[in-house]
Amino acid sequence: MGEKIGSMRLDATDATLSGAGAVEEQLATFFDDHYDRMVRLAALVCRRGVPAEDAVQAAMEQAWKRRASLREPHRLRWWLDRIVVREAIRMNRPWWRLHDSRSIDESANLLPDPSREMAPERLALRAAFASLSAQQRAAAALHLHLGYSVDETARLMGAGVETTRSRLRLARQRLRTELAEAE
Amino acid sequence: MNLDHDDRIRAFLADEAVRLTSAAPSLDQAIGRLAPRLRPRSRAQPRGMTLLLAASLLLAAAVGATLAVGSGLVRLPIVNVLPPTEAPAYEAVFLRLEVDGGDRAVIVIGVNGEGNEREISRIPGGWVSLDIGDGFLAPMGAVSTSGLLAMASGETRALQWRIHDLHDPDATPRLVAGFEQDVEQLQSTAYFATDMRPSVFWGPFDRVAIPWYTRRPDTLVDFSVALVDGRTGSATSVAIPSALWILPRWAGDGSAVLLGSGISDQTPRAIARFDGTLAEVDEDAASVPACGGRDRSGAELVAMWDEVARGDVDGTSQPLAAAEDVTFACLAPDDRTLVFNTATGDGSGLVTAWRTLVGSIGPGGGDWTEVEGTFAGWMEVTR
């Protein structure tokens, strides 16, 4: 039999998916402590036009179907973040390698929201962050927002440590440049 | 200075995370959307019980028939015994672009479950020749099981769709009139991945759906779907409201294309009909997916990051192929052959190459052959 997380058994064969309410209840128990963070993480990684909730849905489905493979229940947060960040990157992957690859949705992300007053610095940061690759945004979100170490960030993304350092350096450089210019 | 900048970047990320998720669905809403996909669609009888019941009925029937014939109560009719009709076989169809100076042609290749290739057709002037730096844009199209290939060609800013009959390569392709597309509207594969809008997909009775859009000045787009009679090329376009999403799925009678509510929501919410109207979906009506994602036993094909598996209705799963980052998997109509697409990375999360593999499943299967070209669907062939 599988390990327990709360009242949840982590064993695929143990999941009784018979009743309509049973699935909802098990999903709620499984994701309750993590859902908000998963959505925030996906939102930071996804470019405009790729709904973060879709990345989260895909991640939740993957996680639920693969929950039996989680052998260390205390690493559930890490495990879920790993799935979310990879699903979010996957959904942001360009399907076409065209010379002018910026989509209309990405361009729209750079436009100011006319309904809100916004400081120039914030506007510049938002444009700079939107211009980063999904991998750079993911590295920044994991390391600078969620507080994972560089090593942990690398493992979460399935990337080398040096590659991750490079992504973080480029992301920081881009954002710091905007901050410096705004000063 | 840099530390100060880092703090400001952290504050920015925290604010952005809140701003971007202010309208996100709650956990309850997310679960409401997810749960139906995780629930078994039918309550299958345990296989052992079914077999036992079938065996009992067969035995009873055989004993009864023997007694009846032997006692003279029943006389067997004299009939001509016809040879059993062979079930159709299917080839995976791939498209390859051949560019020679200013000339180009699309080579249509058929591949069987053993990975053997044959050239089906050669289409001069097919697709586009768009130089993308390290080569040309790969062709994309979709083939019906009856051998009709829908493929766009022309200029990258004004592509027109044509229907090619792969059984009659000399026939003039039928032009699908009524709309044009630029190359940006098309996807790298016809319609199989769930996390993308479909580009073109066949349904029953040689009908094909082609989603397209027009751009608005405010950077948004207005989607339509053209429902096309593949035998004549006549098309009817239906405007799709922004709240709906075209699913790669036809109504079972070929009268409509199903519409969902989002990129990963495969639950039909409405239909776009051949008469040009939208209507509510009949939840009990049969539907046909663009590509085989479920075998005839009801088991679902599940494409994960690192494997393709068959998810049985009882909740168990059976791995079919191990592969990194599977984008789509498509089962032949006879359940014998599988095509799937997998990414090869450089270890850093960046994809360096896409590979498409073909192989037989079931007893003796599991050998995968990499095939060059873009997968376009399954075509029925004589054995």
Side-chain angles (χ1 to χ4, degrees):
Chain A
M1 299 295 274
E3 304 282 348
K4 276 188 171 183
I5 291 180
S7 60
M8 173 67 59
R9 279 190 187 281
L10 289 176
D11 189 330
T13 59
D14 195 39
T16 50
L17 300 178
S18 52
V23 180
E24 280 86 345
E25 200 176 306
Q26 292 183 34
L27 287 167
T29 307
F30 194 73
F31 291 109
D32 189 29
D33 294 339
H34 304 279
Y35 177 73
D36 290 345
R37 187 190 70 258
M38 291 166 71
V39 175
R40 289 201 308 272
L41 175 57
L44 287 174
V45 177
C46 287
R47 64 179 164 79
R48 192 179 171 119
V50 179
E53 53 261 39
D54 287 337
V56 175
Q57 279 280 312
M60 289 170 75
E61 188 169 352
Q62 289 271 1
W64 183 250
K65 287 177 175 172
R66 312 211 109 196
R67 63 198 185 281
S69 68
L70 175 62
R71 298 298 174 203
E72 300 171 78
H74 64 279
R75 293 182 44 95
L76 179 60
R77 174 194 156 127
W78 188 93
W79 188 73
L80 289 173
D81 287 349
R82 178 169 173 264
I83 296 174
V84 170
V85 82
R86 290 183 180 202
E87 282 298 325
I89 289 172
R90 188 170 70 86
M91 286 199 170
N92 279 266
R93 185 169 292 146
W95 289 98
W96 295 98
R97 289 181 297 155
L98 299 175
H99 291 303
D100 181 15
S101 60
R102 174 171 289 179
S103 74
I104 46 176
D105 290 333
E106 282 175 294
S107 304
N109 198 28
L110 305 181
L111 300 173
D113 181 349
S115 64
R116 294 181 62 183
E117 286 289 324
M118 191 182 298
E121 173 187 302
R122 189 51 61 96
L123 188 59
L125 276 175
R126 190 181 287 179
F129 192 66
S131 73
L132 301 177
S133 70
Q135 282 86 357
Q136 289 169 342
R137 288 199 298 270
L142 290 166
H143 181 60
L144 296 172
H145 178 55
L146 292 183
Y148 285 108
S149 70
V150 176
D151 283 6
E152 286 173 322
T153 300
R155 276 185 285 138
L156 281 159
M157 295 181 64
V161 175
E162 286 313 310
T163 304
T164 305
R165 272 191 220 289
S166 170
R167 285 175 179 159
L168 282 167
R169 182 173 50 77
L170 290 169
R172 271 195 175 113
Q173 204 170 37
R174 181 85 177 84
L175 297 172
R176 282 171 182 164
T177 301
E178 295 302 329
L179 285 172
E181 285 179 5
E183 284 172 354
Chain B
M1 180 70 170
N2 280 347
L3 279 178
D4 176 47
H5 278 171
D6 268 3
D7 287 343
R8 285 155 70 185
I9 292 169
R10 285 193 182 93
F12 160 73
L13 290 174
D15 287 351
E16 276 295 281
V18 171
R19 182 184 73 83
L20 291 168
T21 57
S22 59
S26 66
L27 176 59
D28 284 346
Q29 289 170 320
I31 287 173
R33 189 176 153 196
L34 177 64
R37 297 207 299 277
L38 300 176
R39 218 172 271 134
R41 302 206 177 176
S42 63
R43 300 299 299 165
Q45 292 234 8
R47 185 170 291 178
M49 184 74 91
T50 306
L51 286 174
L52 186 63
L53 183 63
S56 305
L57 288 172
L58 276 173
L59 184 62
V63 169
T66 306
L67 288 174
V69 171
S71 63
L73 289 173
V74 174
R75 293 184 65 181
L76 291 175
I78 300 170
V79 295
N80 292 321
V81 178
L82 296 171
T85 308
E86 282 199 337
Y90 294 89
E91 279 181 340
V93 176
F94 286 79
L95 308 177
R96 294 177 188 162
L97 185 67
E98 188 178 81
V99 179
D100 181 13
D103 297 330
R104 67 173 187 275
V106 171
I107 320 298
V108 185
I109 304 290
V111 184
N112 67 13
E114 286 71 49
N116 301 317
E117 295 186 5
R118 72 178 179 103
E119 183 174 314
I120 298 173
S121 177
R122 179 174 287 258
I123 303 172
W127 189 235
V128 292
S129 51
L130 179 61
D131 190 340
I132 55 172
D134 55 353
F136 291 90
L137 194 65
M140 192 283 292
V143 69
S144 69
T145 52
S146 65
L148 296 177
L149 168 67
M151 184 171 63
S153 60
E155 299 302 317
T156 53
R157 293 284 167 195
L159 290 167
Q160 290 184 307
W161 286 86
R162 286 179 171 79
I163 311 290
H164 304 261
D165 187 345
L166 298 181
H167 292 299
D168 187 3
D170 296 329
T172 305
R174 286 181 283 277
L175 176 70
V176 178
F179 65 98
E180 288 181 345
Q181 286 181 298
D182 58 37
V183 75
E184 230 177 285
Q185 299 194 22
L186 309 180
Q187 303 282 3
S188 60
T189 177
Y191 40 78
F192 307 107
T194 55
D195 58 347
M196 55 198 276
R197 283 192 188 272
S199 270
V200 54
F201 53 101
W202 287 90
F205 311 117
D206 286 341
R207 291 177 167 187
V208 61
I210 306 174
W212 59 283
Y213 60 70
T214 52
R215 292 191 171 84
R216 296 198 321 222
D218 59 3
T219 75
L220 297 174
V221 296
D222 291 321
F223 259 93
S224 294
V225 61
L227 288 82
V228 183
D229 182 339
R231 295 168 187 163
T232 64
S234 68
T236 305
S237 281
V238 186
I240 306 299
S242 58
L244 294 173
W245 187 273
I246 301 162
L247 298 176
R249 181 172 277 271
W250 278 84
D253 62 1
S255 63
V257 164
L258 275 56
L259 307 170
S261 64
I263 193 166
S264 61
D265 181 7
Q266 297 289 304
T267 310
R269 311 285 180 190
I271 55 172
R273 298 194 295 196
F274 235 91
D275 63 5
T277 60
L278 294 167
E280 287 186 358
V281 69
D282 176 359
E283 292 179 2
D284 297 326
S287 67
V288 182
C291 190
R294 189 177 286 278
D295 71 15
R296 284 174 292 186
S297 76
E300 185 183 10
L301 209 59
V302 185
M304 304 276 201
W305 301 331
D306 54 2
E307 71 176 17
V308 182
R310 191 203 314 262
D312 289 318
V313 288
D314 63 2
T316 61
S317 69
Q318 171 200 353
L320 297 174
E324 252 328 281
D325 206 351
V326 176
T327 309
F328 72 81
C330 185
L331 198 58
D334 60 359
D335 292 352
R336 291 184 179 181
T337 314
L338 177 72
V339 167
F340 65 93
N341 184 275
T342 174
T344 305
D346 61 358
S348 69
L350 289 175
V351 172
T352 54
W354 294 98
R355 301 163 65 216
T356 307
L357 302 169
V358 178
S360 297
I361 57 174
D367 290 333
W368 304 104
T369 304
E370 183 174 351
V371 180
E372 184 195 341
T374 312
F375 177 57
W378 300 97
M379 178 176 156
E380 189 178 323
V381 291
T382 50
R383 288 178 194 275

